[in-house]
Amino acid sequence: MLSTLRIRNIGVIDDALLEFGPGFTALTGETGAGKTMIVTGLTMLLGARLDRGRTREASTVDGTLSLTGHTDLAAALDELGAEEEDGEVLVVRRVTRDGRSRAQLGGVPIPIGTLSRLVGTAVTVHGQSDQQRLRDPDAQREALDRFAGNDVAEPLERHQRLWRERGSLAARVQELQELLAERDRRGTALREALERLEQADPQAGEDAALRTEIERLGNAEELRGAAAQAALALVGEDDGPAAGALVDIASQAVGRAARTDQTLAPLGERLDALRIEISDLAAELSRYAEDIDTSPGRIAAANERLHELTVLVRELGPLLPGPDGPAESISELLETSRGAAADLESYDGAETELASARERLEELNTELEETAAALTAARTRAAEALSQAVQEELRHLEMPDARLQVEVAEHAPRSHGRDAVAILLAPHPGAEHLPVAQAASGGELSRVMLALEVALASSRRDRSAAPVFVFDEIDAGIGGRAALAVGQRLARLARHAQVIVVTHLPQVAAHAGTHLQIVKTTDGTATSSTVVTLDRAARIRELARMLAGDDASDVALAHAEELLDEAGPRGRA
């Protein structure tokens, strides 16, 4: 339910606050008073654009929307972190003259598209030019499904679930087929490459290590001589001068002095450690010199092994590429080979999985056929009932000779079944049934749309989540008994929903429980409008103005009071 609407700086409206009743609210006023601006404000809450010609420096619309029964909207608010107060949420839309637009829901800024999607679940605006439910095939099918309730909802949910599963499975089948085609192209080459790699048994970094070893072996004599010379310099031979002997002399001298002055003891310890380190260094250098292999056989073996690994990288790298292209070393080749091995494992399981997936696809196709048939049967039954319900409403709306038919025809399978739903109308006896948007005049189209809304609202199981319907001059093009009938059916629709109607017909306005008047004032240079809530006396004067153009005529006032009384409890409110 829409509790309040505040409009500021749109067209001729400077600042207007509208307080709506829970049932049927009528909006009336003189031509040019700004009734259209009210509808414009309402559509702005649904994300519609505002014509720059109607924008001031900043045009703002605030709406207070009750969350009772609207679980989807409430859940979305919770996810957004939006605030609510006493079960209501504040919706704000602001548009500046330069075209910038801002929206807030419960104090949280949101995109305009999100505003349209969320508030659109609770508020529907119908105008003379946008009875989309009567023009759009998908909207007509959705309307029929809502009318059918669980009879369609349960098989529809199952069909959509099966449809999603089939879509995912069909995509997986495509992947498996491509995988098996790749196996046919690459599988043999990959296996041969991995077998060759296994036979060679390279180790990570082995090629780099071999290059280092070959470099060392090529300079073995030079390296051996350098190591031996360094060892000799450290420890000498035949008591010749060497670093180790000199350190021994220093250590002994400091040791003797430390017996007299203990402050030298730490220096003596360091000299002892240096002496031991020099000895260890000399020993390691000697072992290095002794261990260098200068045999031609070792150099040849290392070169042969390096050549073997180089050929492996050159020939297998393109077969086992990595993310950056062919491998350039044994380490990279071993890394990419692990991915190739995983590919081969996936190839091995793909054929079995593909057979299982195809079998399940056949099962899904059978189940979808059965569910689609159940949907068609349920929709066909519901279409007959909805046709009868709308037909009855049309009789009340002074279209007794019109024949409406909700047709369920076969369509290519989709997620919601294989049905195409069309609302067809024969406006008079002998006329051919045509799509309602083609067969009906403007006034007839308005009444068909109203009849459909009344029938759908009457079938709703959940009364708590009553939708908000806004009708912009639904009574255009009609008058007399038809106008009175429209008022009565709007009142009936208001039993199950909140109905807000912009009207120029007193027969319609008299049936409202709440009557708001758009009042225009002018000072000769500027015109502005505001909105007032009418009590009974004021309603009689407004109805008299609508009847005769004169709210002071005794005849018109008497006629207005009679019209209000005949409308029943709502009109007398």
Side-chain angles (χ1 to χ4, degrees):
M1 170 181 162
L2 191 62
S3 303
T4 63
L5 180 73
R6 186 177 182 185
I7 299 175
R8 285 172 285 181
N9 300 326
I10 296 182
V12 296
I13 297 180
D14 293 327
D15 191 343
L17 177 64
L18 292 78
E19 296 181 345
F20 301 108
F24 182 2
T25 298
L27 288 165
T28 65
E30 296 180 4
T31 300
K35 297 189 293 297
T36 302
M37 298 302 101
I38 303 298
V39 178
T40 298
L42 284 163
T43 59
M44 284 178 63
L45 291 186
L46 299 176
R49 299 178 63 182
L50 178 62
D51 187 342
R52 285 194 179 185
R54 295 172 176 173
T55 309
R56 311 264 189 98
E57 288 303 317
S59 299
T60 305
V61 180
D62 305 342
T64 305
L65 190 63
S66 172
L67 298 173
T68 303
H70 295 295
T71 54
D72 290 344
L73 179 57
L77 292 177
D78 186 58
E79 185 176 341
L80 289 169
E83 298 178 357
E84 60 172 277
E85 185 174 348
D86 297 330
E88 293 184 332
V89 63
L90 180 64
V91 186
V92 180
R93 177 82 184 281
R94 180 180 175 87
V95 178
T96 59
R97 180 176 284 277
D98 60 7
R100 289 180 297 173
S101 180
R102 300 288 184 272
Q104 288 187 350
L105 191 61
V108 176
I110 59 173
I112 302 303
T114 302
L115 176 73
S116 176
R117 176 174 56 83
L118 294 180
V119 180
T121 63
V123 180
T124 301
V125 176
H126 290 289
Q128 279 289 299
S129 61
D130 66 344
Q131 290 99 341
Q132 291 301 320
R133 182 167 293 163
L134 301 184
R135 290 179 167 86
D136 180 42
D138 286 336
Q140 294 177 22
R141 174 184 46 76
E142 291 168 1
L144 176 62
D145 289 353
R146 283 194 296 274
F147 179 82
N150 288 335
D151 290 345
V152 163
E154 292 177 358
L156 177 60
E157 188 278 331
R158 183 167 184 267
H159 190 278
Q160 290 174 329
R161 174 172 49 80
L162 292 172
W163 185 272
R164 288 192 298 270
E165 182 183 351
R166 188 179 69 170
S168 299
L169 197 57
R172 181 56 180 162
V173 165
Q174 180 66 27
E175 291 175 1
L176 292 170
Q177 289 173 336
E178 292 173 357
L179 194 62
L180 289 175
E182 184 180 12
R183 178 197 66 179
D184 295 338
R185 293 192 307 270
R186 298 185 60 227
T188 300
L190 286 180
R191 285 190 174 87
E192 291 176 352
L194 292 176
E195 288 173 2
R196 185 175 170 187
L197 198 60
E198 184 177 1
Q199 290 172 358
D201 191 26
Q203 305 302 310
E206 185 180 354
D207 49 352
L210 283 169
R211 289 189 182 92
T212 301
E213 183 183 2
I214 290 170
E215 179 70 18
R216 182 166 60 87
L217 291 173
N219 297 278
E221 289 298 337
E222 182 181 347
L223 293 172
R224 176 185 288 176
Q229 184 181 2
L232 187 63
L234 289 174
V235 296
E237 60 182 0
D238 299 331
D239 298 326
L246 295 174
V247 170
D248 284 343
I249 293 171
S251 178
Q252 291 171 7
V254 171
R256 288 192 300 271
R259 287 195 288 272
T260 302
D261 185 357
Q262 283 297 311
T263 57
L264 291 172
L267 297 177
E269 293 174 358
R270 292 171 63 185
L271 284 168
D272 284 341
L274 181 57
R275 179 171 54 80
I276 294 170
E277 179 65 16
I278 289 173
S279 178
D280 288 344
L281 281 171
E284 289 187 25
L285 287 167
S286 296
R287 285 194 297 272
Y288 174 83
E290 293 171 358
D291 290 344
I292 289 181
D293 187 354
T294 58
S295 64
R298 177 55 197 156
I299 294 178
N303 275 312
E304 184 179 352
R305 178 61 172 171
L306 180 60
H307 176 70
E308 180 185 6
L309 297 182
T310 302
V311 171
L312 274 179
V313 171
R314 184 176 66 246
E315 294 183 354
L316 300 187
L319 293 174
L320 308 173
D324 299 324
E328 296 181 354
S329 68
I330 282 296
S331 294
E332 292 180 12
L333 188 62
L334 289 172
E335 181 65 30
T336 57
S337 71
R338 283 189 278 272
D343 287 344
L344 284 174
E345 288 181 7
S346 67
Y347 295 157
D348 293 338
E351 198 159 356
T352 301
E353 185 183 351
L354 180 60
S356 176
R358 283 173 170 165
E359 182 179 350
R360 177 56 183 155
L361 267 180
E362 291 181 5
E363 294 174 356
L364 284 171
N365 286 331
T366 300
E367 292 178 30
L368 281 167
E369 281 292 322
E370 294 172 352
T371 309
L375 271 173
T376 299
R379 284 177 175 142
T380 300
R381 292 192 299 270
E384 184 177 351
L386 180 58
S387 298
Q388 293 175 356
V390 176
Q391 187 74 49
E392 178 64 18
E393 292 301 322
L394 290 175
R395 186 178 64 81
H396 290 292
L397 289 169
E398 299 299 317
M399 293 179 66
D401 296 328
R403 294 292 178 265
L404 184 133
Q405 175 183 337
V406 181
E407 179 185 72
V408 179
E410 187 171 354
H411 192 281
R414 292 174 289 178
S415 64
H416 47 70
R418 59 187 183 196
D419 304 320
V421 175
I423 300 177
L424 307 176
L425 178 70
H428 51 78
E432 180 183 357
H433 278 85
L434 295 174
V436 66
Q438 300 176 20
S441 65
E444 289 171 336
L445 193 62
S446 297
R447 281 181 279 173
V448 172
M449 183 263 291
L450 177 57
L452 180 62
E453 293 292 13
V454 173
L456 292 174
S458 300
S459 70
R460 292 177 63 251
R461 275 68 171 174
D462 181 9
R463 303 301 187 198
S464 63
V468 180
F469 292 112
V470 180
F471 295 100
D472 183 13
E473 297 194 1
I474 188 177
D475 46 25
I478 61 175
R481 293 176 56 187
L484 187 62
V486 167
Q488 293 169 345
R489 303 330 281 175
L490 285 168
R492 181 178 180 186
L493 177 60
R495 300 174 190 172
H496 311 291
Q498 183 184 30
V499 177
I500 300 170
V501 179
V502 176
T503 181
H504 67 282
L505 293 180
Q507 297 95 325
V508 172
H511 286 84
T514 301
H515 192 156
L516 305 178
Q517 182 184 11
I518 296 91
V519 179
K520 178 175 66 175
T521 58
T522 181
D523 59 5
T525 59
T527 300
S528 63
S529 296
T530 188
V531 179
V532 295
T533 302
L534 304 182
D535 58 16
R536 177 176 171 80
R539 288 191 70 181
I540 292 173
R541 289 194 299 273
E542 173 64 1
L543 291 176
R545 181 197 65 77
M546 297 170 72
L547 283 165
D550 183 0
D551 63 0
S553 166
D554 291 339
V555 173
L557 288 170
H559 187 184
E561 185 170 11
E562 179 183 4
L563 186 63
L564 200 59
D565 289 339
E566 288 179 352
R570 287 181 176 80
R572 291 193 296 269

